[in-house]
């Protein structure tokens, strides 16, 4: 029973995450039919609700682009279908020819996958269920436009919270980074090459989370652009956009750090005693960064924590003779620069704010 409850809970959680776009798509489908029939005057505007559902679907993001692609795809498919079917009639080989030409036209127009697929499906409908008639092709193009515009209107009037979308994915990405830093720290302090290998394997699979974070930011930016009631969220969303690329770089550098730490452990190189503490301080700073971003604050505390941790990341404190250990030192420094950029500093500012790698002696020697 416990497994069943867990599965039901998992599916309900997944449904809750898509409940808003499902509701938006359902409302847009009904409204688009109403507008197309009562306002435009079309008797059976089935393309309007189809367009609304395709544009909204169960995902957020890139809806403006999807409206354009949908209308272009329908126009190409209906146009090619109307012309050819009126000349060569309807049948198996005619349908095959119409679909091939409609999709080829879409590809030659440098259209994306949505345009090509919509062109092909529209051509099929014209060639089978809806043979060309006076004005029929134009009516279907108008219906597609109505559905797309109504879908955008529903998105603007009933928008998701762009910060919620960004925060959910940022939490995953930043969580991957903190787990990696703490994992490497533990592996080094316990001289555990197996654990280091596990951290490296997990980091190699973290790119999907980074890609989803980038997609969430695009989604949030779109919502904040087309939904007036979400315009005030654009500034807070901008902090996540500032952090996105540096956090990606920090994960990449952490991956190199984990790989070289693993090599150092396998080769028996002596790792600096202070290294685990530095990495744990970085991980704590990332947690602070996540909390400050969620509160909509400038991440000043995270910036200070990163600088404090990096103060130990000098050659004097993290010295080492082995090749892999020296690479680890370089990556510790690189991660600090990435994290400081995630707090809003430019790269030059981040580098200059860190202590020098070496200290000069008092006599200048």
């Amino acid at each position: 029973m416990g497994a069943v409850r867990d599965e039901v809970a998992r599916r309900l959680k997944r449904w809750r995450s898509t409940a808003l776009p499902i509701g938006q798509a359902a409302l847009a489908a009904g409204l688009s039919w109403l507008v197309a029939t009562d306002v435009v005057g079309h008797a059976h505007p089935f393309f309007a609700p189809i367009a609304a559902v395709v544009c909204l679907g169960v995902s957020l993001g890139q809806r403006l682009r999807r409206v354009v692609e949908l209308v272009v795809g329908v126009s190409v498919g209906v146009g090619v279908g109307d012309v050819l079917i009126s000349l060569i009639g309807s049948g198996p080989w005619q349908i095959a020819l119409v679909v091939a030409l409609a999709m080829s036209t879409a590809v030659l127009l440098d259209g994306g996958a949505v345009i090509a697929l919509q062109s092909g499906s529209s051509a099929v409908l014209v060639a089978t269920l809806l043979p060309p008639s006076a004005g029929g092709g134009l009516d279907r193009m108008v219906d597609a436009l109505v559905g797309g515009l109504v879908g955008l209107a529903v998105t603007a009037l009933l928008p998701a919270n762009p910060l919620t979308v960004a925060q959910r994915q940022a939490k995953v990405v930043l969580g991957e980074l903190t787990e990696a830093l703490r994992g490497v720290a533990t592996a080094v302090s316990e001289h555990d090459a197996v654990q280091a290998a596990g951290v490296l394997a997990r980091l190699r699979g973290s790119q999907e989370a980074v890609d989803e974070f980038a997609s969430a930011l695009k989604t949030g930016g779109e919502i904040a652009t087309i939904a007036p009631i979400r315009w005030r969220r654009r500034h807070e969303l901008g902090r996540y956009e500032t952090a996105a690329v540096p956090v990606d770089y920090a994960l990449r550098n952490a991956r190199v750090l984990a790989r070289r730490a693993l090599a150092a452990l396998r080769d028996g190189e002596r790792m600096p005693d202070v290294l685990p503490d530095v990495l744990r301080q970085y991980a704590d700073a990332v947690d602070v960064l996540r909390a400050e971003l969620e509160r909509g604050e400038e991440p000043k505390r995270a910036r200070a924590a990163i600088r404090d941790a990096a103060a130990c990341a000098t050659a004097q404190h993290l010295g080492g003779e082995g090749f892999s250990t020296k690479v680890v030192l370089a990556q510790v420094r690189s991660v600090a620069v990435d994290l400081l950029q995630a707090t809003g500093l430019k790269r030059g500012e981040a580098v200059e704010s860190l202590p020098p790698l070496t200290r000069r002696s008092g006599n200048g020697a």
Side-chain angles (χ1 to χ4, degrees), residues 57-129:
V58 295
S59 63
L60 298 167
Q62 296 188 333
R63 289 177 171 176
L64 287 170
R65 178 176 177 177
R66 262 187 283 180
V67 169
V68 174
E69 289 183 340
L70 184 73
V71 173
V72 172
V74 169
S75 299
V76 170
V78 169
V80 172
D82 275 345
V83 171
L84 288 182
I85 296 302
S86 63
L87 294 176
I88 62 179
S90 181
W93 70 268
Q94 291 95 332
I95 293 173
L97 178 62
V98 166
V99 170
L101 290 178
M103 296 185 73
S104 296
T105 302
V107 171
L108 291 174
L109 290 174
D110 200 24
V114 173
I115 294 179
L117 291 175
Q118 193 59 49
S119 297
S121 60
S122 298
V124 169
L125 290 173
V126 170
T128 55
L129 299 178

Side-chain angles (χ1 to χ4, degrees), residues 280-302:
R280 291 189 184 101
Q281 289 180 57
Y282 281 178
D284 292 341
V286 174
D287 286 337
V288 174
L289 173 62
R290 177 184 56 78
E292 288 182 308
L293 289 175
E294 288 182 355
R295 293 194 297 266
E297 301 173 354
E298 182 180 354
K300 294 180 179 179
R301 290 177 56 234

Side-chain angles (χ1 to χ4, degrees), residues 88-233:
I88 62 179
S90 181
W93 70 268
Q94 291 95 332
I95 293 173
L97 178 62
V98 166
V99 170
L101 290 178
M103 296 185 73
S104 296
T105 302
V107 171
L108 291 174
L109 290 174
D110 200 24
V114 173
I115 294 179
L117 291 175
Q118 193 59 49
S119 297
S121 60
S122 298
V124 169
L125 290 173
V126 170
T128 55
L129 299 178
L130 297 170
S133 59
L138 179 61
D139 287 349
R140 288 189 279 276
M141 296 178 196
V142 172
D143 289 342
L145 179 61
V146 167
L149 293 178
V150 169
L152 288 180
V154 169
T155 301
L157 295 174
L158 297 174
N161 187 335
L163 284 179
T164 300
V165 178
Q167 286 172 355
R168 184 168 58 244
Q169 296 303 325
K171 184 177 181 179
V172 175
V173 173
L174 294 174
E176 290 284 347
L177 182 55
T178 57
E179 288 296 319
L181 292 170
R182 292 191 176 110
V184 174
T186 300
V188 171
S189 63
E190 297 179 358
H191 305 283
D192 189 345
V194 174
Q195 173 148 337
V199 173
L200 180 58
R202 179 166 179 171
L203 278 169
R204 284 171 172 165
S206 64
Q207 189 58 44
E208 181 179 354
V210 173
D211 294 341
E212 290 178 353
F213 182 32
S215 177
L217 288 175
K218 290 182 181 179
T219 296
E222 180 184 274
I223 294 172
T225 299
I226 66 178
I229 67 174
R230 299 301 188 190
W231 286 348
R232 61 188 178 88
R233 296 293 190 181

